[in-house]
Amino acid sequence: MSVLWSFTKLKKMEMTVDCLSKMWSVWTLQIMQNCSSLTELMVHADFLLEEGIKILKRSRTRPACIMTVQGFISNKQSQKFTELKIHLNSQGFSMETLRKPLFWI
């Protein structure tokens, strides 16, 4: 990740992670804060963990920066997975459901 700071003209970045954990949420926020040219970060995650979502809910980005996170969150009791898209900018956090719950066996 330290290499990213050297890309002074990097405007947009897209990355894929297995799951949005607390660690990955913190790292993506650090990328947005420390890479001053970055205006858009798209994160694709197979699974969205509650611990990672909680970090993003309490966060903001720099002005003119947008972070979008897309992936599935599970309801362990019903064994259903719902596809979500999280939007984070300098105004705050929002979340939308993209697909109705799916059963995962």
Side-chain angles (χ1 to χ4, degrees):
M1 289 224 320
S2 61
V3 173
L4 288 175
W5 314 156
S6 64
F7 293 104
T8 57
K9 295 184 181 183
L10 182 66
K11 299 281 185 204
K12 295 181 180 183
M13 184 174 147
E14 192 168 334
M15 60 190 288
T16 302
V17 297
D18 290 332
C19 66
L20 184 72
S21 63
K22 181 179 179 180
M23 178 188 72
W24 277 110
S25 291
V26 170
W27 282 358
T28 55
L29 289 166
Q30 287 176 346
I31 290 169
M32 291 297 292
Q33 296 302 327
N34 294 317
C35 191
S36 60
S37 63
L38 193 63
T39 58
E40 186 177 334
L41 176 60
M42 176 65 183
V43 180
H44 300 279
D46 292 331
F47 299 103
L48 304 171
L49 302 181
E50 285 292 330
E51 64 186 31
I53 294 171
K54 285 180 186 178
I55 296 290
L56 296 180
K57 280 183 179 179
R58 297 189 310 250
S59 303
R60 305 280 187 271
T61 65
R62 289 182 291 104
C65 291
I66 299 169
M67 182 191 305
T68 306
V69 181
Q70 188 170 330
F72 289 91
I73 190 166
S74 73
N75 179 331
K76 292 179 183 176
Q77 294 172 334
S78 67
Q79 294 187 346
K80 291 181 181 180
F81 285 78
T82 303
E83 188 174 14
L84 299 177
K85 185 179 260 189
I86 296 170
H87 303 277
L88 185 65
N89 59 35
S90 60
Q91 302 298 309
F93 172 95
S94 66
M95 192 163 47
E96 67 177 298
T97 301
L98 297 179
R99 223 184 288 176
K100 295 189 182 217
L102 305 168
F103 286 101
W104 205 287
I105 299 174

